Amino acid sequence: MEAMKETVEESLREMRETFASGRTRSLKWRKAQIGAIYEMVKDNEDKICNALFQDLGKHSTEAFRDELGVVLRTATVAINCLDKWAVPKHSKLPLLFYPAKGKVISEPYGTVLVLSSWNFPISLSLDPLIGAIAAGNTVLLKSSELSPNASAFLAKTIPAYLDTKAIKVIEGGPDVATILLQHQWDKIFFTGSPKIGRIIMAAAAQHLTPVTLELGGKCPTIVDHHTISKNIKSVVKRIAGGKWGSCNGQACISVDYVLIEKSFAPTLIDMLKPTIKSFFGENPKESGCLSRIANKHHVQRLSRLLSDPRVQASIVYGGSIDEDKLYVEPTILLDPPLDSEIMNEEIFGPILPIITVRDIQESIGIINTKPKPLAIYAFTNDENLKTRILSETSSGSVTFNDVMIQYMCDALPFGGVGESGIGRYHGKYSFDCFSHEKAIMEGSLGMDLEARYPPWNNFKLTFIRLAFREAYFKLILLMLGLKR
Ligand SMILES: NC(=O)C1=CN([C@@H]2O[C@H](COP(=O)(O)OP(=O)(O)OC[C@H]3O[C@@H](n4cnc5c(N)ncnc54)[C@H](O)[C@@H]3O)[C@@H](O)[C@H]2O)C=CC1
Ligand SMILES: CCCCCC(=O)O
């Protein structure tokens, strides 16, 4: 660890020197670096897909949809929009200070730390990296030890494409992260669990470092079957895809549990079963399209969630586990107890609890008994229910009549609220996430209003009262010929 400490100190010193040189402030430099990330992903598609397969058994199609394609689009949007994002924003000032001028400029924070997760190790590393570079920062990236092949690819390949004096990559786990957190950073961007998010925030507090925490939680899916019945096949496929079709439920915005009216349960279960078979065949373990569970610890964690006898009794499909093959069968539960661990911990795996209510309106009350989720999904065409969900619940985002696609829309901010996260990114939100918005004001020496200065008197008070009444003050300036 001593060697690692020296590496970290040397990396930080060099990144700070590079930032101080001003090189990263050049939009040309930023675009060149982001373009290099684009080329790196394009040049190494096979290596990246192989790394994701080695780490997670992730199929190359899923890997391209959720990772490579996401990064390529993020890079393209950043390069195309950076000039616009970086333009100072002029501000309308109170007439009292006329003819002073105001604007806001986006200033890079400086030297930034990015800590990412294992489930989408390429996109969750490179997306924030692109944002940090777009904003003009130097960056150190530490991806997750639980995706060793993807982490090794990033550590080996990024230096071959990017400015190594500005962009550093370190492999390692909690021990390395702990060393990193002992240093002062100008911004920390963390993707991971709320538990570790608290550690990150506590470490950042020592230096008053701003943080973005991309965390997780239990994303509910309401299905109001009365109003979506003519599209029920799409609804069921989207729910199944939102659980088993993206890293096998190991995603922060996966469908965690479903809320439906009791009368609809048999139909939903009967439609989910053939849908799973249509996705993964008769034996999903051999399908090749279903990502593996990350490691034995997570298999044992999922096994523990299922071990509650009351949960065991709620299994209506699946339930088999093969720890050696890091496999948990796509599993459906019907009404596991709301006080069971599986209904109070982020599942982060291929188990789908179906919770039934008498009236779908009761779903809101159940959702509000839990921490604010990263996403809420609701399949409904009932505008009143939509309005209630939007006004009576709080979450990072709400998606009606689909799941997970919000992640791929760079015009929408991606982030949580409460336990599910602090801050947001994607698209321009990434640029803003890694920028300090600095207020600039330029006063005029040409005109000095005595009313600004003592001695105070009623005339000055009247003048100041008027000045806060912008319309009157504008009239006065026009009459005095001081403003056209
Ligand atoms: N909001 C989002 O975009 C996403 C959120 N997540 C959330 O992340 C969690 C799963 O990801 P994991 O990687 O297992 O999370 P994690 O919190 O265990 O690890 C995340 C990162 O923190 C580091 N880390 C672990 N222990 C640490 C410690 N004691 N001190 C400092 N750093 C430490 C890890 O090396 C890794 O780089 C889930 O809760 C999931 O919902 C996952 C992906 C995306
Ligand atoms: C579809 C890609 C989602 C990535 C973020 C997550 O849910 O873990």
Side-chain angles (χ1 to χ4, degrees), residues 116-119 124 142-145 172-174 177-178 181 190-194 196 199-200 214-217 252 346 348 374 414:
S116 66
S117 177
W118 53 265
N119 54 338
L124 295 176
K142 187 203 80 63
S143 52
S144 175
E145 69 285 6
T178 301
L181 290 169
F190 170 78
T191 298
S193 61
I196 307 306
I199 293 174
I200 304 303
E214 287 286 343
L215 307 178
C252 60
E346 180 180 28
F348 220 61
L374 190 53
F414 183 80

Side-chain angles (χ1 to χ4, degrees), residues 247-324:
C247 203
N248 196 5
Q250 299 168 112
C252 60
I253 52 172
S254 287
V255 169
D256 187 283
Y257 64 102
V258 168
L259 291 154
I260 59 168
E261 286 184 1
K262 202 167 195 64
S263 61
F264 182 56
T267 303
L268 178 59
I269 293 166
D270 288 347
M271 293 184 74
L272 278 171
K273 291 177 181 175
T275 303
I276 293 169
K277 286 188 167 54
S278 73
F279 285 4
F280 308 113
E282 287 301 322
N283 183 3
K285 194 191 300 189
E286 306 306 328
S287 107
C289 290
L290 187 67
S291 297
R292 282 199 309 272
I293 304 305
N295 57 29
K296 289 194 173 181
H297 160 74
H298 282 285
V299 172
Q300 291 158 4
R301 178 183 63 79
L302 292 165
S303 177
R304 189 189 76 243
L305 293 179
L306 285 175
S307 63
D308 180 330
R310 302 172 302 165
V311 174
Q312 279 290 317
S314 73
I315 296 176
V316 294
Y317 183 85
S320 69
I321 291 175
D322 183 339
E323 186 175 316
D324 292 335

Side-chain angles (χ1 to χ4, degrees), residues 355-376:
I355 302 300
T356 65
V357 292
R358 187 181 47 77
D359 181 320
I360 201 65
Q361 303 285 337
E362 294 167 22
S363 303
I364 290 169
I366 292 175
I367 290 170
N368 287 337
T369 62
K370 301 179 182 305
K372 295 177 180 180
L374 190 53
I376 291 177

Side-chain angles (χ1 to χ4, degrees), residues 72-329:
L72 292 173
R73 174 172 168 75
T74 297
T76 303
V77 167
I79 290 169
N80 292 342
C81 299
L82 186 54
D83 291 324
K84 184 174 56 176
W85 292 347
V87 168
K89 282 69 181 169
H90 290 277
S91 308
K92 188 175 181 307
L93 300 181
L95 277 173
L96 181 61
F97 306 116
Y98 179 83
K101 293 183 175 61
K103 62 183 177 181
V104 176
I105 63 173
S106 293
E107 176 183 272
Y109 276 116
T111 298
V112 166
L113 173 61
V114 173
L115 299 170
S116 66
S117 177
W118 53 265
N119 54 338
F120 299 87
I122 299 298
S123 53
L124 295 176
S125 295
L126 296 181
D127 246 21
L129 177 61
I130 289 168
I133 292 170
N137 297 283
T138 57
V139 193
L140 187 146
L141 164 67
K142 187 203 80 63
S143 52
S144 175
E145 69 285 6
L146 300 189
S147 48
N149 292 281
S151 293
F153 167 79
L154 293 170
K156 177 171 180 285
T157 316
I158 285 176
Y161 281 78
L162 274 73
D163 180 342
T164 55
K165 292 186 182 301
I167 313 299
K168 305 279 183 187
V169 188
I170 281 188
E171 294 180 83
D175 50 352
V176 171
T178 301
I179 292 171
L180 291 168
L181 290 169
Q182 287 162 357
H183 295 274
Q184 184 272 331
W185 300 88
D186 298 305
K187 167 89 180 189
I188 298 176
F189 185 98
F190 170 78
T191 298
S193 61
K195 175 183 170 228
I196 307 306
R198 287 180 169 84
I199 293 174
I200 304 303
M201 200 164 183
Q206 300 312 307
H207 304 284
L208 294 177
T209 298
V211 297
T212 295
L213 302 177
E214 287 286 343
L215 307 178
K218 295 182 72 66
C219 299
T221 301
I222 298 170
V223 182
D224 165 26
H225 73 282
H226 300 291
T227 62
I228 50 87
S229 54
K230 67 181 173 56
N231 302 105
I232 188 61
K233 281 188 178 176
S234 294
V235 171
V236 172
K237 279 180 80 172
R238 290 178 185 183
I239 291 171
K243 174 56 87 171
W244 298 290
S246 182
C247 203
N248 196 5
Q250 299 168 112
C252 60
I253 52 172
S254 287
V255 169
D256 187 283
Y257 64 102
V258 168
L259 291 154
I260 59 168
E261 286 184 1
K262 202 167 195 64
S263 61
F264 182 56
T267 303
L268 178 59
I269 293 166
D270 288 347
M271 293 184 74
L272 278 171
K273 291 177 181 175
T275 303
I276 293 169
K277 286 188 167 54
S278 73
F279 285 4
F280 308 113
E282 287 301 322
N283 183 3
K285 194 191 300 189
E286 306 306 328
S287 107
C289 290
L290 187 67
S291 297
R292 282 199 309 272
I293 304 305
N295 57 29
K296 289 194 173 181
H297 160 74
H298 282 285
V299 172
Q300 291 158 4
R301 178 183 63 79
L302 292 165
S303 177
R304 189 189 76 243
L305 293 179
L306 285 175
S307 63
D308 180 330
R310 302 172 302 165
V311 174
Q312 279 290 317
S314 73
I315 296 176
V316 294
Y317 183 85
S320 69
I321 291 175
D322 183 339
E323 186 175 316
D324 292 335
K325 292 203 170 184
L326 299 178
Y327 174 75
V328 175
E329 184 180 11

